[in-house]
Amino acid sequence: MKKTKLAVGVIAILGLGYVGTAWYTGNVIEDGLDSTLKNLTQEVNSLQDNFEVQITHTNDEKSLFSTKTHIKLAVTNIENSKTVVLYDDDVIIHHGPFPIEALKNGVFTPQQAWVEFQNSEQFNPDLWKKAGNQPFMKGHISLSYSDFIDYNISTQPIVLDLKDIGVEDADAKLDLGEINWRASGNINFVAPSISIEASKINYQHDADNQLKITNLKVVNDADFQNKYTLNASVDDFYFNFESARDTPEISLKNLAWNYVLEAKESGLNGDFAFKIGSFKYGKQDIGNGSFEFDFEGLDKSFLEIYPEAAPFLAKIKHSSPNTKMNFKKVNWHNAAGDFNFSAFFDVSDFTIMSSLRLAQNIDQLNQFKVNLDAPYKVIARIKTQFDNPENENISEQQFESDAKQMQFIVERSFNRSPYPAILFKKGDVEGIFTEIEYTKQSGQFNLNGKKMSFQELQNHF
């Protein structure tokens, strides 16, 4: 009996504590709403000078566990003074520390507030109807006690005439699948993470001209003083404006690209990669390819021409660092084989100005390596396909003929010497091949297995 009374007492105390905290949070929200919206408006308007944002709230209704208010968000184009209302509906602010709606969404950590919003039928009856008689857009915002804020917005699939979104004299249509957008980070957004997922983005100019994007995914993390990261992918990209621009249709599948850019005291470090799973041009299957490149210790002078990069570059202390650049992989594969290129550079005192004089100042070069494998059949096949995008019946004889013609032109163009910079055969494969390597320690270039000094190399070229 005593244990039961104790349990009831504990529950009562916890319940009263929750009610008291919710009441206090509600008062804080109510008192700070004006200043919060004012600061947010000023922050958004300070980031750009193309439009002016206005955010207002009216009809506040505070209860114990939530606050209801009406938010109006409008954007005015500074150039033409046209105003578009983006949101004009109620929002519900659920009070912490454990908002019921947060618990429903699987968030069990204490939250200052959980804000829910969605478009109503009254705001835009036509948009409501096009979205299937439901809100086109809905979302929530959470704010933790450690000032971590998380925006989540989702939109329903919809087909819009461009006239519906203010584009005059346009008969084009925009067919959108479900889109989910998220932005999170510290309330001051010092290091935000922004992501978007769109199942479908189709733009149809008319029956014969259209752009289609399927399953777009982008995640962008930006620490403005230290590091930028991007990861993105698209399952299908289709572009067909043949009648409007007289270009063949283009189809790309399984696109993926990512980069990391980081500021260190010794310079900029970066890592970039890009991949195409399939590329079709007209009726031609061009192939697939990838590109991988990284660098270490790049001087900040290469980015100082961009004023917005100043906070990011402030961390870099050395004005002329040792720089390494590595073209790890440049590959294209088609039915005839593979094109491959790679290169590595290690350079001292490498700035945007000294890079222009590198060929005359070999002392800056610590290491240099280049490999190129370009079979004639591979590159000639690409050229033939681009020249005949709609021809489904290109014969192997045509490919062979174009490869022979390319071989004749290339080999006539290069000067054969005792130290050839380019080899025209590797094993039994004909093409353009070269392997060049240099180290400062040896003081010599190794050019396709033949050694020479820098002066001999200059004389050769």
Side-chain angles (χ1 to χ4, degrees), residues 279-294:
F279 174 29
K280 289 190 175 180
Y281 184 71
K283 295 181 172 62
Q284 303 298 330
D285 184 356
I286 305 298
N288 59 78
S290 59
F291 169 79
E292 297 177 15
F293 169 66
D294 64 43

Side-chain angles (χ1 to χ4, degrees), residues 30-62:
E30 188 176 37
D31 294 339
L33 192 55
D34 284 326
S35 61
T36 300
L37 293 180
K38 181 180 178 181
N39 292 337
L40 177 61
T41 302
Q42 290 176 343
E43 182 70 21
V44 172
N45 288 330
S46 68
L47 294 174
Q48 47 72 46
D49 54 9
N50 297 317
F51 54 84
E52 183 181 354
V53 173
Q54 305 98 35
I55 307 176
T56 58
H57 75 101
T58 55
N59 302 330
D60 297 346
E61 298 177 14
K62 178 178 172 292

Side-chain angles (χ1 to χ4, degrees), residues 89 240 288 312 345:
D89 265 311
N240 185 1
N288 59 78
F312 184 66
F345 303 83

Side-chain angles (χ1 to χ4, degrees), residues 140-251:
H140 67 263
I141 305 169
S142 63
L143 177 63
S144 74
Y145 284 97
S146 58
D147 287 339
F148 182 86
I149 194 165
D150 191 354
Y151 293 84
N152 290 267
I153 299 174
S154 63
T155 59
Q156 295 296 321
I158 197 169
V159 178
L160 297 171
D161 294 324
L162 286 194
K163 290 179 180 178
D164 294 338
I165 54 176
V167 180
E168 299 178 358
D169 301 324
D171 296 323
K173 294 183 181 296
L174 194 60
D175 182 2
L176 302 175
E178 182 179 350
I179 298 176
N180 296 296
W181 179 83
R182 182 182 181 187
S184 60
N186 180 273
I187 196 169
N188 295 318
F189 271 72
V190 175
S193 176
I194 299 173
S195 66
I196 185 171
E197 292 186 6
S199 62
K200 178 175 65 174
I201 302 174
N202 292 351
Y203 168 74
Q204 185 169 341
H205 185 72
D206 52 42
D208 299 321
N209 299 282
Q210 56 188 319
L211 169 69
K212 296 181 180 181
I213 298 173
T214 304
N215 288 337
L216 168 68
K217 297 179 181 179
V218 180
V219 179
N220 189 5
D221 298 325
D223 181 344
F224 297 119
Q225 295 181 352
N226 295 289
K227 188 176 182 179
Y228 290 86
T229 302
L230 173 76
N231 290 284
S233 64
V234 170
D235 284 357
D236 293 284
F237 176 91
Y238 176 79
F239 181 89
N240 185 1
F241 279 72
E242 188 170 358
S243 62
R245 299 181 179 273
D246 193 28
T247 58
E249 64 182 54
I250 294 173
S251 174

Side-chain angles (χ1 to χ4, degrees), residues 18-36:
Y18 175 76
V19 170
T21 307
W23 174 82
Y24 171 76
T25 304
N27 285 334
V28 169
I29 291 170
E30 188 176 37
D31 294 339
L33 192 55
D34 284 326
S35 61
T36 300

Side-chain angles (χ1 to χ4, degrees), residues 276-447:
I276 299 175
S278 171
F279 174 29
K280 289 190 175 180
Y281 184 71
K283 295 181 172 62
Q284 303 298 330
D285 184 356
I286 305 298
N288 59 78
S290 59
F291 169 79
E292 297 177 15
F293 169 66
D294 64 43
F295 57 85
E296 180 182 333
L298 187 68
D299 187 72
K300 62 182 179 181
S301 61
F302 288 92
L303 289 183
E304 283 180 327
I305 57 175
Y306 304 107
E308 59 272 19
F312 184 66
L313 301 177
K315 188 174 182 178
I316 301 174
K317 304 300 181 184
H318 304 293
S319 59
S320 300
N322 176 254
T323 303
K324 296 178 181 179
M325 291 180 288
N326 187 10
F327 292 86
K328 293 186 290 186
K329 183 180 181 181
V330 181
N331 168 264
W332 192 261
H333 173 81
N334 62 21
D338 287 271
F339 169 97
N340 286 295
F341 171 81
S342 64
F344 177 79
F345 303 83
D346 183 345
V347 188
S348 297
D349 300 324
F350 189 64
T351 66
I352 194 168
M353 293 303 297
S354 66
S355 65
L356 303 175
R357 304 186 300 270
L358 183 61
Q360 287 78 41
N361 191 1
I362 192 64
D363 291 336
Q364 286 182 247
L365 192 60
N366 301 313
Q367 188 177 355
F368 170 70
K369 189 174 183 179
V370 171
N371 286 276
L372 172 66
D373 287 3
Y376 290 129
K377 288 185 177 181
V378 175
I379 51 181
R381 188 180 190 90
I382 296 172
K383 180 183 181 302
T384 304
Q385 289 178 307
F386 271 98
D387 289 342
N388 303 274
E390 305 300 335
N391 186 352
E392 296 182 271
N393 301 307
I394 303 177
S395 65
E396 287 302 317
Q397 289 79 10
Q398 179 66 50
F399 286 126
E400 290 283 350
S401 175
D402 289 347
K404 290 294 183 183
Q405 183 180 10
M406 177 174 289
Q407 178 179 2
F408 175 77
I409 294 172
V410 169
E411 295 184 12
R412 282 285 302 269
S413 301
F414 284 91
N415 177 31
R416 295 176 178 271
S417 72
Y419 300 105
I422 291 176
L423 301 178
F424 299 108
K425 196 167 187 178
K426 189 174 184 179
D428 59 352
V429 179
E430 294 179 311
I432 305 170
F433 305 95
T434 188
E435 292 184 17
I436 303 174
E437 188 170 3
Y438 167 84
T439 62
K440 193 172 187 177
Q441 185 176 5
S442 69
Q444 286 187 319
F445 282 85
N446 188 328
L447 191 63

